Amino acid sequence: MNSSHLTCPDPSDRPDLWPWSARRRNGVLEIGGLPVPQIVETWGSPIYVLDEDDLRGRAQTWATAMAEEFWDGYGMGGGSAYYAAKAFMSARAIQIVTEAGMGVDTASLGELTCALEAGAGPNTVGLHGNNKSDAELRMAIGAGERGIARIVIDSPAEVDRIAAVARELGRRARVMVRVTTGVHAGGHDFIATAHEDQKFGLSLATGVAKKVALDAASRPELEFIGVHSHIGSQIFDLSAFTESASRLMKFVRELKDAGISCPEVDLGGGYAITYTAADEVPPTQKDVARSLACAVRDACAQFDLEVPHISIEPGRSTVGPTTITLYRVGTIKHVPIDGGERLYVSVDGGMSDNIRPALYGARYAVTLANRTSDADSSLVRVVGKHCESGDIVIMDAHLPSDIRPGDILAVPATGAYGHAMSSNYNMLTRPGTLAVSGGEGHWLIYPETVSDLLGRDAALTPKELPST
């Protein structure tokens, strides 16, 4: 390999936009040792491409950072990281992150089933959700010898429901209580989770959280193991976590004064990643773990507490940067705007494979991936092929003016929520997720076919299914 021909995907962009293996060789972007034209030619487009070594490395880094910063040798209670599987779920991804030392945080029957079927030890799995089903609770409590590591209580009524299922199964369910600390951080209101007027958690300010914790701790069918908080998503400023940790430890002190032990505190996730070259530099895993350790240590000293086990739930920051989405360019249209013009570049995917720009106004970077160009740059809007004017992949970007049908565009940082939030709008088939490493690729999730879609149409594919 001639290093003189290798650069980051775009010299003007930041390397933290891209998976670790991203390189250009003679103008062509490579991921995992595979040129993107070869990927598209062999496996099709649009396609999510995940750098498997990158995912493994990020998971190991999270697990190591938490273990080191909360090491018992310094009088700390230990630290761990649970992968928030809502960001991207596949059996192989679960195997990679758990082999690297992370637990798994789930929030549905499908996620819980996938985690357990993939081989995650029940003692390393958690279950969230503001409206857990009986089926979810039965699987969680009935898994393994003792059930999963924790079920996070999200409403007062869940105490009765979880206790009833545990009694039915002859088990003792391990539970935490999710609290809203009043600390709000992160981006769009739809992904803020710590203010009072929203569906998640139990209020510290009104005393509901304490009442539910006391109720849970009093039930013989439940083992109360601690409290949980999640304050938002895509958070750059760690001071919000510091404040939330302080409020949680004060709450732990209140519970101790009421005779309730709280051996674990979970500080949630929401740690930021880079999406565009204009973004701030996000904190590293070590930055996060050290900041949390300092905040917890200080709060415990203030409230005369032993340091509990501290866990966190990084999802986006574990898988987001590991993955790019590749599109093939189709129609190109010159549209006059304010005395100039904008180039509309249509690709073979869109809001069905990345809903975040339409839902949150999320912004992404993009690069021409199959070649370089000496042409002047043009103001470009990259759009999808759906019947929606809001079907925009990249709102504003600069790409070479000689972009043409058949070119390949790469959008980085799509590992989190690209596949997880994908849909079949306009009956487009959802892309597959291809793992790449060492010049080889294999499917993590197969691409859908039109036959897959028609197989669910009762008039076209009659099936005898049980009534519900």
Side-chain angles (χ1 to χ4, degrees):
M1 184 181 294
N2 187 344
S3 61
S4 66
H5 293 289
L6 297 179
T7 67
C8 288
D10 248 333
S12 61
D13 286 342
R14 289 160 34 178
D16 57 349
L17 278 169
W18 301 92
W20 290 350
S21 66
R23 300 287 187 275
R24 279 193 189 271
R25 185 193 298 276
N26 298 323
V28 175
L29 179 65
E30 292 183 355
I31 302 291
L34 287 172
V36 297
Q38 180 182 337
I39 292 173
V40 170
E41 182 67 26
T42 305
W43 288 284
S45 69
I47 186 172
Y48 306 112
V49 183
L50 182 148
D51 182 335
E52 200 166 58
D53 296 329
D54 191 350
L55 176 60
R56 183 177 294 105
R58 291 178 191 276
Q60 288 173 338
T61 304
W62 271 122
T64 300
M66 289 300 292
E68 288 181 348
E69 293 300 325
F70 290 91
W71 181 43
D72 286 338
Y74 288 125
M76 306 294 279
S80 57
Y82 283 70
Y83 171 61
K86 66 179 183 176
F88 171 73
M89 174 63 106
S90 83
R92 182 60 187 143
I94 295 304
Q95 291 164 0
I96 289 171
V97 300
T98 54
E99 289 166 3
M102 297 185 81
V104 185
D105 164 48
T106 69
S108 72
L109 184 62
E111 289 182 359
L112 181 58
T113 302
C114 184
L116 296 174
E117 289 288 324
N123 198 46
T124 67
V125 176
L127 177 66
H128 275 282
N130 65 301
N131 187 28
K132 303 175 189 71
S133 69
D134 287 346
E136 290 164 353
L137 293 177
R138 287 192 182 95
M139 178 173 286
I141 296 169
E145 296 182 359
R146 294 189 57 202
I148 66 171
R150 58 199 196 181
I151 300 171
V152 183
I153 295 171
D154 201 87
S155 66
E158 278 192 359
V159 178
D160 282 337
R161 292 188 57 237
I162 297 170
V165 174
R167 191 163 52 248
E168 170 192 321
L169 298 178
R171 291 284 182 94
R172 193 165 185 236
R174 289 175 282 185
V175 299
M176 303 181 85
V177 170
R178 179 167 177 168
V179 304
T180 51
T181 62
V183 178
H184 164 54
H188 197 285
D189 282 347
F190 287 177
I191 54 177
T193 54
H195 54 75
E196 301 289 343
D197 188 13
Q198 50 92 34
K199 70 178 187 177
F200 292 113
L202 299 155
S203 171
L204 278 182
T206 64
V208 174
K210 183 176 181 179
K211 181 178 179 181
V212 172
L214 294 174
D215 186 13
S218 71
R219 304 297 184 103
E221 305 92 347
L222 306 182
E223 178 185 352
F224 178 76
I225 64 169
V227 296
H228 176 284
S229 175
H230 182 76
I231 62 174
S233 291
Q234 189 60 0
I235 301 168
F236 286 90
D237 185 358
L238 295 180
S239 64
F241 290 105
T242 300
E243 177 61 26
S244 182
S246 178
R247 295 187 190 189
L248 280 175
M249 299 317 302
K250 181 180 180 182
F251 181 49
V252 170
R253 175 76 254 182
E254 292 178 15
L255 293 179
K256 183 176 181 179
D257 291 342
I260 305 302
S261 175
C262 189
E264 182 170 350
V265 172
D266 192 291
L267 298 174
Y271 311 107
I273 67 171
T274 303
Y275 283 106
T276 76
D279 285 350
E280 301 174 46
V281 176
T284 67
Q285 293 95 328
K286 192 75 171 180
D287 292 336
V288 172
R290 181 157 294 176
S291 177
L292 295 181
C294 291
V296 169
R297 188 183 294 113
D298 290 348
C300 286
Q302 179 183 355
F303 298 115
D304 191 23
L305 293 167
E306 292 185 4
V307 177
H309 184 91
I310 300 296
S311 54
I312 59 173
E313 295 167 348
R316 180 201 313 260
S317 54
T318 305
V319 74
T322 71
T323 303
I324 67 172
T325 304
L326 298 179
Y327 300 100
R328 195 183 288 277
V329 173
T331 302
I332 294 174
K333 185 185 296 185
H334 296 262
V335 177
I337 54 165
D338 300 328
E341 74 169 22
R342 190 195 309 277
L343 202 60
Y344 273 74
V345 176
S346 297
V347 296
D348 52 358
M351 63 191 299
S352 57
D353 57 72
N354 189 354
I355 190 62
R356 295 185 70 252
L359 186 62
Y360 301 143
R363 291 184 175 271
Y364 287 83
V366 64
T367 191
L368 179 62
N370 59 301
R371 62 184 176 91
T372 55
S373 171
D374 294 328
D376 293 338
S377 66
S378 290
L379 179 62
V380 167
R381 181 159 294 168
V382 181
V383 296
K385 60 181 294 176
H386 294 281
C387 295
E388 296 282 341
S389 58
D391 177 25
I392 297 170
V393 180
I394 311 291
M395 179 67 72
D396 293 301
H398 285 87
L399 288 173
S401 57
D402 66 349
I403 193 165
R404 52 185 179 256
D407 276 337
I408 299 169
L409 299 184
V411 177
T414 56
Y417 308 109
H419 174 269
M421 299 177 74
S422 60
S423 74
N424 295 122
Y425 181 47
N426 286 146
M427 292 196 76
L428 264 68
T429 54
R430 289 178 292 178
T433 299
L434 185 78
V436 293
S437 175
E440 297 182 352
H442 63 91
W443 289 117
L444 295 183
I445 297 176
Y446 295 121
E448 285 182 327
T449 66
V450 173
S451 295
D452 292 329
L453 302 186
L454 300 184
R456 299 184 63 222
D457 190 308
L460 298 174
T461 313
K463 298 178 182 178
E464 288 295 328
L465 296 176
S467 59
T468 57

